[in-house]
Amino acid sequence: MTATRRALLLSSPLLAKPALAQRRWPERPVRIVVSFTAGGTTDIIARIVGNLLSERWGQPVVIENRAGAGGNIGTEYVARSAPDGYTLLVASVGPLAVNQSLYRTMPYDTRRDLAPVTLLANVPNILVVAPDSPARGVADLVALAKARPGQLSYGSTGVGTSSHLSSAMMDQMAGVQTTHVPYRGAVALNDLMSGRIDFMFATIPSVIEQIRGGKLRALAVSTLKRSRSSPDVPTMEEQGFPGFDASSWFGILGPAGIPREVVDRASADAAAAMRRPDIERQMVEQGADPVGSTPAEFGTFLDAEIARWAGIVRLSGASVN
């Protein structure tokens, strides 16, 4: 065989193994890492989407929870994984945007080390109190805080989370001082319902059943528009906090360098899942507003969110070593 003929054969599309591998993707189970504990909002959304992707891909989609360090542990794990499309990430505003300014040292850079796939959903935070709280609205809560400086306490799912920073924003805008009590995950809700803390901003999916069951009272949502899942709950802006916007959001990413064909297919399939009427209904019932963006749209969104939360973190004074 001549050198020329050998070169032509080796360059033939039939022998282009990487291209074939990308067209066949996925040929085996895909792992989706969730950077928070099971049962939380990130986990709920990942499992809804994972089930649909498994159907579309004809392969198992395995959800793996790797919690810790405000979501940094699971996110770093994916950032350091092989960029072959078999390890993806579902993460939230915290590890993807907030932590870039909150932590003094970070083990990864969101825009350098991760490839955006799609923005799955926006999830408003909702301000909740126990049903026996005297606060019937945000104005009542602010009045209580002004009457008892430093005595009202609020829970969060951790230092620097959107749950924490939402309350810090309210304090700053209202000119009040309340006490932050950070918790690991959503355990704070138990203390809120028992009266050990006074209020909390929580993601809607984590508290919607308690609100519906009368175990918590909703005062406001943290987004500029009312939530589709809780249309009767007014926004913070409607109650005297102009421009108040501190929502959570959730997206899929892969390690930087993941094949473009994999990114495009995963993005298209996840976006199609978000548009399915039954899934849209399920997400809204859980308290999430489905999106399903392109990779480019998600990248632009990430840039804006990293910059926006940097300002919020700076104003709050929050910092983690």
Side-chain angles (χ1 to χ4, degrees):
M1 182 182 295
T2 66
T4 301
R5 181 173 173 77
R6 185 182 300 110
L8 287 171
L9 285 172
L10 289 174
S11 64
S12 167
L14 295 175
L15 297 179
K17 292 183 179 179
L20 284 176
Q22 290 166 12
R23 284 199 296 270
R24 286 196 300 264
W25 180 91
E27 296 179 295
R28 52 187 170 86
V30 176
R31 175 173 50 173
I32 292 182
V33 174
V34 173
S35 53
F36 291 96
T37 55
T41 303
T42 313
D43 184 71
I44 291 170
I45 290 176
R47 291 180 189 277
I48 291 173
V49 175
N51 287 337
L52 285 195
L53 292 179
S54 180
E55 292 177 11
R56 295 182 73 90
W57 294 342
Q59 293 287 348
V61 173
V62 180
I63 305 299
E64 180 177 319
N65 298 90
R66 286 181 173 262
N72 285 353
I73 289 176
T75 306
E76 181 191 11
Y77 178 83
V78 174
R80 305 291 176 241
S81 295
D84 56 8
Y86 289 96
T87 301
L88 301 175
L89 171 75
V90 169
S92 64
V93 59
L96 297 177
V98 176
N99 292 0
Q100 301 295 305
S101 300
L102 178 69
Y103 283 75
R104 294 180 182 177
T105 59
M106 281 288 287
Y108 60 88
D109 181 282
T110 297
R111 297 301 278 125
R112 183 191 65 217
D113 298 326
L114 293 164
V117 174
T118 188
L119 176 64
L120 291 169
N122 288 314
V123 178
N125 290 326
I126 191 164
L127 176 58
V128 287
V129 296
D132 59 354
S133 169
R136 312 297 298 188
V138 180
D140 296 334
L141 189 61
V142 169
L144 288 171
K146 288 183 176 180
R148 300 159 52 192
Q151 294 182 43
L152 263 62
S153 60
Y154 66 89
S156 79
T157 52
V159 174
T161 60
S162 65
S163 173
H164 167 208
L165 295 177
S166 295
S167 295
M169 283 178 62
M170 185 181 76
D171 277 8
Q172 291 162 7
M173 294 179 74
V176 297
Q177 180 184 356
T178 58
T179 300
H180 178 211
V181 183
Y183 290 80
R184 289 176 62 89
V187 182
L189 296 177
N190 294 329
D191 280 1
L192 178 60
M193 288 185 287
S194 66
R196 293 188 181 93
I197 55 177
D198 297 293
F199 66 95
M200 180 178 178
F201 277 93
T203 56
I204 292 181
S206 68
V207 295
I208 195 164
E209 292 305 322
Q210 289 89 339
I211 294 170
R212 289 169 177 164
K215 296 179 180 179
L216 290 172
R217 181 189 306 135
L219 302 185
V221 292
S222 66
T223 43
L224 296 175
K225 295 181 179 180
R226 294 193 182 196
S227 169
R228 292 169 63 185
S229 66
S230 305
D232 295 332
V233 181
T235 66
M236 290 291 291
E237 184 168 64
E238 289 178 81
Q239 299 185 73
F241 290 78
F244 194 105
D245 184 12
S247 62
S248 295
W249 46 262
F250 302 83
I252 300 178
L253 303 94
I258 189 172
R260 186 75 233 177
E261 293 85 351
V262 173
V263 170
D264 289 343
R265 180 173 179 192
S267 176
D269 288 346
M274 293 296 97
R275 289 191 293 269
R276 265 181 48 170
D278 58 330
I279 296 306
E280 183 177 11
R281 184 168 56 253
Q282 183 180 0
M283 295 281 278
V284 170
E285 287 175 355
Q286 290 285 345
D289 296 327
V291 180
S293 69
T294 66
E297 290 168 341
F298 191 18
T300 300
F301 177 82
L302 281 171
D303 289 337
E305 284 291 281
I306 290 169
R308 187 172 76 87
W309 282 100
I312 295 172
V313 170
R314 184 170 56 252
L315 288 173
S316 74
S319 179
V320 178
N321 292 330

